[in-house]
Amino acid sequence: MNAQALSSRRRFLGQTACSAVTATPLLSTILNLKMAGNAAAASSDPNDYKALVCLFQGGGNDSFNMLVPRGASEYAEYEATRSDLALAQNTLLPLNGTHGGKTFGVHAGMPEVQALYNSGDLAFVSNVGTLVEPVTLAQVENESARLPLGLYSHNDQITHWQTSVPDRRSAIGWGGRVADLLDSSNSNDNISMSISLSGTNTFQAGESTVSYEIESSGNGAIVLADYAENDNPTLTNLGKTAVNSLMDLEYQNLFQKTFAQRNRNAIDASVEFSDAIAGVSAISTPFSTNGISNAFRMIAKTIAARDVLGMKRQTFFIMFGGWDHHDELINAHAAMLPVVSKGIAEFHAAMGELGVADKVTTFTASDFARTLSSNGRGSDHAWGSNHMVCGGAVQGGQIYGDYPDLGLGSSLDTGRGRLIPTMATDEYFADLARWFGVSDADMPAVFPNLDRFYTIGPDNPVGFMG
């Protein structure tokens, strides 16, 4: 081997070799070799495609300044409770119709969300949060209720929202459990149905499936250095030769053999994915130039390549961090909520361009809401929160669940406006999972606590997916 090839091989050994596939402990990988897509043949129906897109607002979005009551008495209560955090009534963008006899508006930075809601393509789900079982304020106060572990902890609540099992700390997400059930509907054994734009996440972690990580730039695939095409074809060929020689060796040790095979699979998948994205027609829908819109644009490209990739079911994950606004809430929301609003609207428009608006559903999640009362600079960790669901299959133009009274000292207030959720994450996510294709028989495997809130049957527990 010449010096350049040897140098390429050494550089390979010093790099992360499997960056395109979510890292899992090697022992777990060896003991759990049931990879995605090994159970059933894919459907031959070309229209049988569905995708779920999770936009996770990491840090805990103050969602009661995102969806706000506009009626005179309800707004007065909101204003009195929120004090220096209250938005001016005349800045709220009105939503059509009423909910529980009340009128509502959204933050001034969300005109796209207003338009999607008023056109029937977006719905709000109100006062949803992690619950082990239905609970009352009296049970919380006398400590007789089973409550989520680490109730106001970022790490715990992010995990619980992504697993929907708040009575224990799990590394398997509800999206991962769905993938374990449905990934075999795809014909591609190389690329998972679970695609992350934000690296490793719990939501998409399954027992037998792992997420495939992509970037928002280029053709999406995270390609091994020295293996991807570059400006110097000679170096590219040397890099490929060095890497391939390592992957093709006949290793005797089981760990070495498995590691080499997983790296081989990751390299092949990155090439396949990159080629598929490069082959799709350009999407004409304009996207903003920020990280979130860039992520949505790449998801749109991936969905455009769904037939080439052999995909009938896909989930996508975007983490948008920075929502822990203990101070500067008003200014931070003014900067960040428009990013969410534009990104969701741009993506929905792109799905319309691709003819799959009714086959792709975007939903939001976050650690928790924030205290209704101010800390003098911002708001602190709380519990029940408001979220958005958007897509052509969504029964939009409505607020689902019980939007709570916002006066301090209510029957849901555990202190400072930390509101007990009136809807469990299980119920919120069950609507999405049922639409996605999870059967009644499999629903308890995806949401082990669901039957504590809802008698599993033919009707969706909340109803925003029809």
Side-chain angles (χ1 to χ4, degrees):
M1 179 180 295
N2 62 35
Q4 285 180 304
L6 182 60
S7 175
S8 294
R9 178 177 288 190
R10 286 171 176 165
R11 284 200 301 274
F12 163 73
L13 289 171
Q15 299 194 22
T16 301
C18 199
S19 60
V21 177
T22 299
T24 55
L26 186 57
L27 180 60
S28 174
T29 298
I30 293 172
L31 295 177
N32 192 16
L33 291 175
K34 301 180 300 177
M35 297 306 294
N38 61 356
S43 167
S44 60
D45 182 357
N47 296 315
D48 181 25
Y49 174 80
K50 289 181 179 178
L52 287 173
V53 181
C54 176
L55 176 62
F56 200 100
Q57 296 169 281
N61 178 32
D62 193 320
S63 59
F64 288 100
N65 262 21
M66 179 180 71
L67 178 64
V68 182
R70 286 194 306 116
S73 61
E74 292 83 18
Y75 178 81
E77 180 180 62
Y78 158 85
E79 184 178 38
T81 297
R82 304 240 66 184
S83 61
D84 62 308
L85 301 180
L87 302 173
Q89 187 176 20
N90 62 3
T91 68
L92 299 174
L93 304 178
L95 300 179
N96 290 344
T98 62
H99 177 72
K102 302 174 183 178
T103 58
F104 290 84
V106 294
H107 189 280
M110 307 185 80
E112 298 85 4
V113 163
Q114 177 199 30
L116 287 168
Y117 181 95
N118 289 343
S119 67
D121 291 316
L122 182 143
F124 283 95
V125 182
S126 186
N127 200 28
V128 58
T130 57
L131 288 169
V132 177
E133 60 188 1
V135 60
T136 66
L137 179 60
Q139 290 173 320
V140 172
E141 291 176 337
N142 64 27
E143 300 182 351
S144 63
R146 290 185 293 173
L147 300 179
L149 299 174
L151 182 54
Y152 303 122
S153 155
H154 285 297
N155 288 341
D156 283 313
Q157 294 308 303
I158 287 173
T159 298
H160 298 334
W161 266 86
Q162 293 185 30
T163 65
S164 211
V165 283
D167 49 350
R168 64 181 186 272
R169 293 180 173 93
S170 172
I172 304 300
W174 73 265
R177 293 193 291 271
V178 169
D180 289 339
L181 291 169
L182 301 182
D183 193 53
S184 59
S185 64
N186 298 331
S187 60
N188 192 329
D189 291 337
N190 298 324
I191 299 173
S192 173
M193 66 172 273
S194 308
I195 296 181
S196 174
L197 279 293
S198 301
T200 304
N201 65 86
T202 302
F203 166 62
Q204 293 177 316
E207 292 283 358
S208 60
T209 57
V210 294
S211 63
Y212 182 74
E213 298 174 18
I214 64 174
E215 297 177 326
S216 299
S217 59
N219 289 335
I222 302 173
V223 182
L224 190 67
D226 290 337
Y227 201 86
E229 301 293 335
N230 58 45
D231 294 334
N232 188 326
T234 300
L235 288 179
T236 296
N237 291 331
L238 285 171
K240 287 184 176 180
T241 300
V243 171
N244 288 336
S245 66
L246 281 172
M247 297 301 99
D248 294 339
L249 287 175
E250 290 296 327
Y251 293 101
Q252 299 303 311
N253 182 280
L254 177 60
F255 286 88
Q256 292 174 324
K257 183 181 296 186
T258 302
F259 184 71
Q261 185 58 54
R262 286 183 60 81
N263 280 296
R264 175 78 273 167
N265 292 343
I267 292 168
D268 291 345
S270 69
V271 173
E272 179 182 358
F273 187 90
S274 182
D275 288 347
I277 299 301
V280 301
S281 299
I283 295 173
S284 61
T285 300
F287 282 82
S288 303
T289 55
N290 61 66
I292 300 305
S293 286
N294 288 341
F296 274 122
R297 180 193 289 111
M298 182 53 67
I299 293 174
K301 289 181 180 180
T302 306
I303 291 174
R306 64 194 180 279
D307 292 336
V308 176
L309 291 171
M311 295 293 170
K312 297 295 185 182
R313 293 292 183 274
Q314 290 182 291
T315 69
F316 298 90
F317 181 83
I318 304 172
M319 173 64 79
F320 183 10
W323 297 87
D324 193 20
H325 298 139
H326 293 281
D327 53 21
E328 292 299 324
L329 169 64
I330 298 298
N331 292 336
H333 257 192
M336 297 174 72
L337 287 176
V339 173
V340 171
S341 184
K342 287 183 174 67
I344 289 175
E346 291 161 355
F347 179 68
H348 182 65
M351 294 303 95
E353 178 185 341
L354 296 176
V356 292
D358 62 337
K359 302 180 185 301
V360 180
T361 301
T362 302
F363 66 99
T364 64
S366 190
D367 322 16
F368 35 59
R370 317 290 296 187
T371 54
L372 294 176
S373 67
S374 171
N375 62 20
R377 302 175 304 278
S379 54
D380 301 318
H381 303 178
W383 199 351
S385 57
N386 305 310
H387 289 281
M388 297 178 287
V389 189
C390 180
V394 174
Q395 306 297 302
Q398 300 182 61
I399 299 171
Y400 292 85
D402 300 321
Y403 191 96
D405 294 333
L406 300 185
L408 297 178
S410 74
S411 61
L412 298 175
D413 184 7
T414 65
R416 292 192 57 211
R418 291 185 173 98
L419 301 180
I420 299 172
T422 46
M423 181 189 302
T425 57
D426 304 73
E427 298 169 275
Y428 175 31
F429 297 147
D431 266 31
L432 297 168
R434 182 188 296 280
W435 170 80
F436 198 58
V438 176
S439 68
D440 288 346
D442 288 327
M443 202 67 76
V446 178
F447 305 108
N449 296 337
L450 180 60
D451 61 358
R452 298 174 184 173
F453 308 97
Y454 156 72
T455 301
I456 298 173
D459 298 323
N460 285 332
V462 183
F464 57 84
M465 296 305 294

